[in-house]
Amino acid sequence: MLVYDPKSIESKWQTYWQEHDSHRVNESSGKPKYYCLDMFPYPSGSGLHVGHWRGYVISDAFARFKKLQGYEVLHPMGWDAFGLPAENDAIKKGIHPKESTARNIANFKKQLAQMGAMFDWSREINTSSPEYYQFTQWIFVKMFKMGLAYRKEMPINWCPSCKTGLANEEVVDGGCERCGSTVTKRNMNQWMLRITSYADRLLQDLDKLKWPEKVKKMQANWIGKSIGAHVHFSLVDHPSSIEVFTTRPDTLYGATYMVLAPEHPLVESITTSAQKEAVEAYVKDTLTKSALSRQIFDKTKTGVFTGAYAYNPVNQKAIPIYIADYVLMEYGTGAIMAVPAHDERDFEFAKAFGLPIMPVISPKNAEPITGDAMTEAYVGDGVLVHSGALDGLSVDEAKSKMIAWLEQEQKGSGATTFKLRDWVFARQRYWGEPIPLVHCDACGIVPVPEEELPVLLPDVERYEPTGTGESPLAGIESFVNTTCPTCGQPARRETDTMPQWAGSCWYFLRFVDPHNTKEPFAKEKVDHWLPVDMYIGGVEHAVLHLLYARFFTKVLHDLGVLSFDEPFTQLFNQGMMTLNGAKMSKSKGNVVSPEELIEKYGTDTLRLYELFVGPPEVDAEWNPRAIDGVYRFLVKTYRLVADHAKDTHAVASSDVLKLRHRFIAQLNERIEGFRFNTVVSGFMEFISALQDHPTKVDRETLKALMIVLAPFAPHVAEEGYALLGYTNSVFTETWPQVDGQYLVDDEVEIVVQINGKIRDRMMIALTMSEEAVLESVKSRETMVEALNDKTIVKQIVVPGKLVNFVVK
RNA sequence: GCGGGUGUGGCGGAAUUGGCAGACGCACCAGACUUAGGAUCUGGCGGGCAACCGUGGGGGUUCGAGUCCCUUCACCCGCACCA
């Protein structure tokens, strides 16, 4: 008797796939394309655990499913290989990041091979290889030429531990996204990418995407579009004016004071000598407070009067100008008009500083209240009061009328503001793509000519960040000293490198043409394969990688090298795998590694368990014992096929045909709906039903079973298919069709209820009319008895489901 | 504070459009086979002796609610003085 031996089966078929080059994409098959992509990993030294497997198993199962459905499937894998861990390791141990990265990649590749996934390794890419990053640099040069890359001296987020600048997206709760250290501000001359000029499109085009609503919301919030107006306030006895942004131009009559951010450039010049000392002390105090304490913990309102006044443009009243740290220099104009009656923060501040509160919106059908009587700001809709020509209007009407007035009087204009900031794109670290620019005294900043790329990352003696704001590359004279591409005079190279995200912004494009040495990719190839049909990965990239990749795609679209402007049509975020309630991580010591599980149960069992463990989008706790259940299922499945394989005469009974077609119909729905946990339970039920069935199982049913099992447990499926006598791979088959005739029954069991409670069950023919059903139900002994002394008030018949009598 | 999500047996979780709650698996219990069982197979397994009661709590709509509406509680995630 044949016994299920995963080890021999799995090595046999993995060898077969390799020898037959089974996973290589056939560019000329003429089949419709499907691009199923995993978020490629950073090859860390820790290797893969069962949590990493989850997303890869889902995407591999889905990719194989699509292949069996007749698609030419692109399912590639590569390495996001630039990054800090390799560099920090280099600092500690002196090993070149290139070496440790190569070693980690080899380990990852070995581990991924154990999964039996259908990756087309001929397309493997590595973002830290010059063959790849020359085109990352090429894209940067294009952006520079398009005016999208620029250098600016400004206070940026600085991680004192990583000793590098960070993008806004990399600051989480005031800490560094990577190491958790408290982020400080540091004034630096930085390379920036003008992602803000794409803000509107990045927001608008979210509508086109089949992404989880949560991720779309997160991106929308991050982009943070606000519609309102800019208003100019001229100053009393001072030549300058202050521009504010407000979403509530309708409340302008209620503006009773103004607030500038402490960093606002006008603070110094408008402050009166009497207030100078207090203002300077407050500004100093604010700047030393970390972003963390300023924004998160302490929201009590503080501030100082500057001594200056501005005229409210609608009524020429002089209103005092304060500085306060609740106004942020980064947002809007760094200055606000304060309307305490209708803004919670302004209300708090006004209360704290005894400033007047002037209501200009009255709730509909309510008595107008005075500012003194208010206990909180009124932010709802209502009718304008105390607002001159606006009186009686609704908030919306007043907004547009006020904007029109401001524009006509040249005192302001309608305006839109975004929370999104430009992307700080430079890092003062070693292990990244050198920014391909040259500083020339005569010509200024000049991009390295495209044909001279890549600017190779040189070897260094010391990897330590200097901490002075310069990267380790600045210490390498042979790298720094060059000649100007334009005038040929001596010049200096830019020594900053790109952030870790750079390579992943376009890798999905490179997979379609990974060995192209002339250009990043051939346009016709990228237009054929892209956009990615299904993108699978963790939700942690919701506003980092996914936003950046969308931005790059739009830039490349505008450059004319892509015909589409959104990279990922559909996104799926798999849930985390937890152990003891915490995300698995090596540092917490709670990782479950796949190796020993594969040793004990085989890859197919682990694959199925990853799917069975729970709804794929929900976090799942690893249960070390539950895996036995799926192993038993595979043992039973294997035995079923082995036992029946030689029986060429078995004919499918109509019962078996019904079972099979129903199973596959249900399976299709569950796969398309990404309900893989129920996919596995469906298989278990089907196998049990076949085992319990009195007649022999026919070969057609077994063959169909092996085909539909193949996406999930490919090795067992191949073996079972071979046991049935087929000599090709099961993946040369096509997905079985469902025959609708087997999905309907002639007879079904219905439930008989009285007042909604089940009293009986009976079989009826599906063709019976409602009247006939009622009649036969009523004639049943149990019903005759139950209805004996009752009056039927109402009778409900749900065809094929139930009959309900409402009785008194 | 704002936004999103989740609450179903001892556990993970099932349940088209409102129509048999608890599929499937784990754990557990009993039995079979065994020198043995942490192997395998068979059966049982929400609570209650029962009528009945049961999907976080309370209310509602309906012949009928895990599913729809209102309200409330708990937990999780994201954003967080964004004018």
Side-chain angles (χ1 to χ4, degrees):
Chain A
M1 191 174 128
L2 289 167
V3 175
Y4 176 47
D5 176 15
K7 220 180 264 184
S8 68
I9 289 175
E10 286 167 9
S11 74
K12 169 181 167 187
W13 288 102
Q14 287 181 10
T15 307
Y16 175 96
W17 295 330
Q18 200 168 7
E19 280 171 358
H20 289 74
D21 217 359
S22 303
H23 304 324
R24 188 184 286 265
V25 174
N26 178 356
E27 303 246 18
S28 54
S29 67
K31 294 178 182 174
K33 71 96 183 180
Y34 196 88
Y35 191 173
C36 179
L37 183 66
D38 286 290
M39 291 184 187
F40 70 159
Y42 172 76
S44 75
S46 322
L48 294 169
H49 56 66
V50 294
H52 297 116
W53 264 54
R54 199 163 181 211
Y56 300 141
V57 170
I58 290 168
S59 77
D60 187 56
F62 201 71
R64 287 178 181 273
F65 169 65
K66 285 289 170 187
K67 182 173 186 166
L68 281 164
Q69 279 198 321
Y71 291 90
E72 189 64 41
V73 176
L74 177 57
H75 186 49
M77 185 46 81
W79 318 107
D80 190 13
F82 273 132
L84 276 186
E87 184 168 347
N88 289 338
D89 224 40
I91 292 166
K92 244 184 266 165
K93 300 177 195 158
I95 305 161
H96 196 294
K98 207 190 296 176
E99 285 171 37
S100 59
T101 302
R103 202 166 49 227
N104 291 345
I105 286 175
N107 183 43
F108 261 61
K109 206 170 167 181
K110 193 186 85 203
Q111 287 191 302
L112 284 174
Q114 292 179 320
M115 270 183 56
M118 57 174 280
F119 297 124
D120 179 354
W121 286 112
S122 72
R123 292 167 183 263
E124 176 181 357
I125 57 179
N126 174 340
T127 57
S128 69
S129 70
E131 296 75 37
Y132 182 89
Y133 73 67
Q134 65 175 314
F135 295 115
T136 311
Q137 292 175 334
W138 179 89
I139 293 169
F140 182 89
V141 168
K142 291 292 187 193
M143 286 180 158
F144 180 81
K145 289 178 178 170
M146 291 163 85
L148 292 170
Y150 65 99
R151 206 154 81 124
K152 192 180 173 190
E153 169 99 18
M154 62 176 283
I156 58 149
N157 302 302
W158 174 264
C159 174
S161 166
C162 298
K163 297 193 171 91
T164 183
L166 299 174
N168 271 15
E169 289 79 7
E170 291 171 305
V171 181
V172 179
D173 288 342
C176 171
E177 184 251 354
R178 169 152 293 289
C179 71
S181 312
T182 300
V183 170
T184 59
K185 290 279 176 187
R186 182 166 180 157
N187 217 37
M188 285 181 71
N189 210 354
Q190 287 290 303
W191 282 102
M192 312 281 291
L193 293 184
R194 221 177 281 281
I195 191 171
T196 51
S197 37
Y198 285 76
D200 237 331
R201 285 165 66 189
L202 288 167
L203 182 66
Q204 283 296 314
D205 291 346
L206 285 171
D207 287 343
K208 299 199 280 196
L209 305 176
K210 281 189 273 179
W211 286 19
E213 283 308 312
K214 178 182 166 160
V215 175
K216 291 207 253 184
K217 271 261 163 57
M218 283 169 74
Q219 290 213 355
N221 288 342
W222 190 260
I223 294 166
K225 182 175 182 172
S226 297
I227 298 167
H230 281 139
V231 185
H232 308 295
F233 286 71
S234 51
L235 303 179
V236 176
D237 299 332
H238 193 281
S240 306
S241 71
I242 295 173
E243 187 181 33
V244 305
F245 173 73
T246 178
T247 55
R248 296 295 302 273
D250 54 305
T251 62
L252 193 43
Y253 278 92
T256 54
Y257 66 100
M258 297 186 79
V259 184
L260 302 183
E263 304 94 328
H264 196 285
L266 274 177
V267 170
E268 211 185 320
S269 73
I270 64 167
T271 301
T272 58
S273 49
Q275 294 300 107
K276 199 170 164 67
E277 204 174 316
V279 165
E280 278 175 0
Y282 185 80
V283 170
K284 199 178 158 210
D285 194 39
T286 304
L287 293 179
T288 51
K289 266 196 233 174
S290 71
L292 193 70
S293 61
R294 179 169 168 187
Q295 290 185 12
I296 295 177
F297 298 124
D298 189 9
K299 288 189 183 175
T300 54
K301 297 290 175 287
T302 60
V304 176
F305 179 44
T306 60
Y309 290 83
Y311 293 112
N312 185 332
V314 288
N315 54 19
Q316 298 308 311
K317 276 190 192 161
I319 56 174
I321 303 168
Y322 279 70
I323 62 168
D325 67 2
Y326 82 94
V327 173
L328 307 174
M329 193 59 222
E330 300 89 63
Y331 185 74
T333 61
I336 62 159
M337 62 180 220
V339 185
H342 305 293
D343 181 282
E344 285 169 25
R345 298 149 301 178
D346 297 345
F347 185 88
E348 274 180 51
F349 190 85
K351 280 287 179 196
F353 287 81
L355 291 157
I357 296 168
M358 172 70 181
V360 291
I361 312 280
S362 181
K364 270 215 169 70
N365 307 322
E367 287 294 306
I369 48 169
T370 64
D372 296 341
M374 293 180 90
T375 54
E376 58 179 359
Y378 177 73
V379 296
D381 199 1
V383 181
L384 273 281
V385 293
H386 308 308
S387 295
L390 300 181
D391 281 357
L393 297 180
S394 73
V395 165
D396 278 347
E397 290 164 345
K399 275 182 185 171
S400 23
K401 195 161 177 190
M402 179 59 85
I403 290 172
W405 182 83
L406 288 167
E407 287 176 352
Q408 183 198 319
E409 298 290 316
Q410 299 197 339
K411 287 177 174 174
S413 57
T416 299
T417 294
F418 294 90
K419 261 166 71 178
L420 184 71
R421 305 287 83 195
D422 273 343
W423 179 8
V424 176
F425 198 69
R427 298 292 177 270
Q428 293 72 46
R429 299 288 303 224
Y430 170 69
W431 189 230
E433 302 87 347
I435 291 178
L437 296 172
V438 170
H439 299 262
C440 170
D441 288 337
C443 310
I445 295 169
V446 182
V448 173
E450 289 163 29
E451 61 279 7
E452 286 177 24
L453 296 174
V455 175
L456 286 170
L457 186 61
D459 287 333
V460 291
E461 301 275 317
R462 295 161 54 81
Y463 304 101
E464 280 90 344
T466 59
T468 61
E470 276 193 316
S471 93
L473 296 183
I476 306 175
E477 302 223 334
S478 59
F479 175 79
V480 175
N481 296 324
T482 183
T483 52
C484 171
T486 308
C487 69
Q489 293 300 304
R492 283 156 289 112
R493 282 195 194 281
E494 172 62 50
T495 57
D496 278 356
T497 53
M498 299 187 201
Q500 154 127 55
W501 311 103
S504 60
C505 280
W506 71 282
Y507 78 106
F508 43 91
L509 306 172
R510 182 66 175 174
F511 277 131
V512 305
D513 198 8
H515 307 296
N516 195 329
T517 54
K518 303 264 185 306
E519 49 187 353
F521 40 78
K523 186 163 191 295
E524 64 279 8
K525 287 189 181 179
V526 88
D527 282 344
H528 171 71
W529 285 106
L530 274 281
V532 172
D533 297 281
M534 177 64 74
Y535 195 31
I536 295 177
V539 74
E540 64 272 17
H541 294 115
V543 283
L544 288 159
H545 160 63
L546 288 170
L547 188 66
Y548 296 150
R550 292 181 63 217
F551 165 55
F552 265 52
T553 302
K554 288 186 188 302
V555 171
L556 292 171
H557 169 82
D558 291 355
L559 191 63
V561 296
L562 302 177
S563 300
F564 51 92
D565 65 353
E566 279 295 337
F568 315 120
T569 305
Q570 192 167 356
L571 173 71
F572 183 82
N573 294 128
Q574 84 277 8
M576 271 187 325
M577 206 58 110
T578 62
L579 188 64
N580 307 323
K583 178 183 177 156
M584 285 188 189
S585 80
K586 205 176 182 188
S587 59
K588 288 198 205 92
N590 66 337
V591 292
V592 176
S593 94
E595 272 84 3
E596 43 200 291
L597 294 163
I598 293 168
E599 179 66 22
K600 190 169 170 196
Y601 298 102
T603 289
D604 282 334
T605 296
L606 183 53
R607 287 173 61 108
L608 284 184
Y609 184 63
E610 295 271 351
L611 300 174
F612 187 60
V613 71
E617 69 281 5
V618 175
D619 292 351
E621 173 72 11
W622 184 261
N623 178 344
R625 282 180 299 204
I627 194 169
D628 286 318
V630 288
Y631 180 70
R632 272 176 232 159
F633 158 73
L634 283 179
V635 170
K636 283 186 212 171
T637 304
Y638 179 83
R639 196 182 301 146
L640 183 83
V641 178
D643 287 354
H644 291 77
K646 296 287 173 284
D647 191 352
T648 50
H649 302 296
V651 178
S653 66
S654 67
D655 284 356
V656 169
L657 284 173
K658 273 188 189 174
L659 278 174
R660 187 221 294 174
H661 285 276
R662 279 160 201 223
F663 163 64
I664 294 171
Q666 184 200 51
L667 184 66
N668 290 341
E669 275 179 31
R670 290 176 171 182
I671 296 171
E672 299 285 2
F674 263 56
R675 282 145 46 214
F676 296 112
N677 53 329
T678 63
V679 162
V680 178
S681 65
F683 272 106
M684 290 171 169
E685 286 175 88
F686 182 56
I687 290 293
S688 295
L690 289 183
Q691 274 184 327
D692 294 346
H693 206 269
T695 62
K696 295 232 166 180
V697 182
D698 63 290
R699 295 168 52 77
E700 201 55 39
T701 297
L702 293 172
K703 178 182 160 193
L705 173 63
M706 290 303 102
I707 296 169
V708 298
L709 181 64
F712 312 101
H715 311 85
V716 180
E718 289 276 28
E719 183 68 15
Y721 186 69
L723 285 175
L724 291 170
Y726 299 97
T727 50
N728 271 329
S729 162
V730 69
F731 290 97
T732 59
E733 286 284 353
T734 50
W735 198 257
Q737 292 292 312
V738 172
D739 187 338
Q741 67 166 305
Y742 297 109
L743 303 184
V744 287
D745 280 305
D746 334 324
E747 264 204 329
V748 288
E749 189 185 60
I750 61 162
V751 169
V752 184
Q753 300 179 329
I754 292 174
N755 290 343
K757 298 220 160 87
I758 298 157
R759 285 289 175 267
D760 200 4
R761 294 156 199 278
M762 65 182 291
M763 298 299 294
I764 57 147
L766 210 56
T767 49
M768 274 170 93
S769 67
E770 284 192 18
E771 293 75 28
V773 169
L774 277 171
E775 199 162 310
S776 83
V777 167
K778 281 183 199 166
S779 64
R780 278 172 76 86
E781 217 176 292
T782 49
M783 284 298 112
V784 170
E785 212 171 297
L787 296 172
N788 190 17
D789 53 346
K790 307 281 194 322
T791 320
I792 297 178
V793 184
K794 194 168 179 182
Q795 38 199 24
I796 292 119
V797 181
V798 182
K801 286 258 167 73
L802 62 79
V803 173
N804 187 15
F805 296 109
V806 183
V807 301
K808 264 190 195 158

